[in-house]
Amino acid sequence: MAKETINGLGRRKTAVARVYLKSGNGAITINGKDIKEYINLKQLIDRAIKPLNVLDAAAKFDISVNVKGGGIKGQAEAISLGIARALVKNDEAVKPALKAENLMTRESRMVERKKFGKKKARKSFQFSKR
């Protein structure tokens, strides 16, 4: 059990989530709001708290999250990684179980930046030979 506050950082695309874990009864707040109020899609809520469900630890911790950037899906996946990292910081023995569910991997795909002289990142303007 967490004696003090344990933090974990999760990132996905341009979303960054700072997760703070402390022992409690399972309350999850994101940016000062309840999780069901902040993320209103059931599958994204399930994705965000998947590390807790894998370890059956949903009712053991109070979780406070500060998240910014990106869209709601990127934020949910960043929260998932942050929770997983905080749980591993709390107890190193849970890492193999989380790793088996692919929850410890940082999803690094991001939008490629636009290059000058191009219409988008790779798309060129129409070429005319004459």
Side-chain angles (χ1 to χ4, degrees):
M1 256 323 157
K3 293 152 207 80
E4 71 286 334
T5 305
I6 296 161
N7 65 325
L9 182 75
R11 291 191 191 97
R12 169 72 172 105
K13 290 188 174 181
T14 55
V16 180
R18 291 186 312 241
V19 177
Y20 301 98
L21 226 73
K22 63 182 177 195
S23 55
N25 55 4
I28 302 172
T29 56
I30 302 172
N31 292 351
K33 296 180 182 177
D34 186 59
I35 188 167
K36 288 180 177 64
E37 195 179 323
Y38 190 84
I39 303 173
N40 49 15
L41 287 171
K42 173 97 172 79
Q43 53 269 45
L44 290 183
I45 292 173
D46 292 343
R47 177 73 183 121
I49 62 170
K50 190 174 179 185
L52 294 172
N53 295 335
V54 167
L55 301 175
D56 294 323
K60 295 179 186 173
F61 298 103
D62 281 346
I63 299 172
S64 174
V65 181
N66 292 334
V67 66
K68 64 179 181 184
I72 201 74
K73 182 170 192 244
Q75 287 185 354
E77 293 184 2
I79 290 167
S80 176
L81 180 61
I83 290 172
R85 284 181 173 173
L87 287 168
V88 167
K89 243 188 218 182
N90 183 43
D91 182 15
E92 198 70 33
V94 300
K95 190 171 185 176
L98 292 173
K99 203 165 182 144
E101 293 287 326
N102 204 24
L103 294 170
M104 294 302 297
T105 308
R106 154 83 155 98
E107 176 68 80
S108 62
R109 291 179 296 164
M110 293 180 104
V111 177
E112 193 173 340
R113 77 172 189 86
K114 183 196 173 297
K115 277 65 161 205
F116 57 90
K118 299 273 187 182
K119 205 167 196 169
K120 298 189 330 191
R122 296 184 182 202
K123 185 175 183 174
S124 299
F125 294 103
Q126 186 172 358
F127 177 73
S128 171
K129 198 164 188 175
R130 284 177 219 14

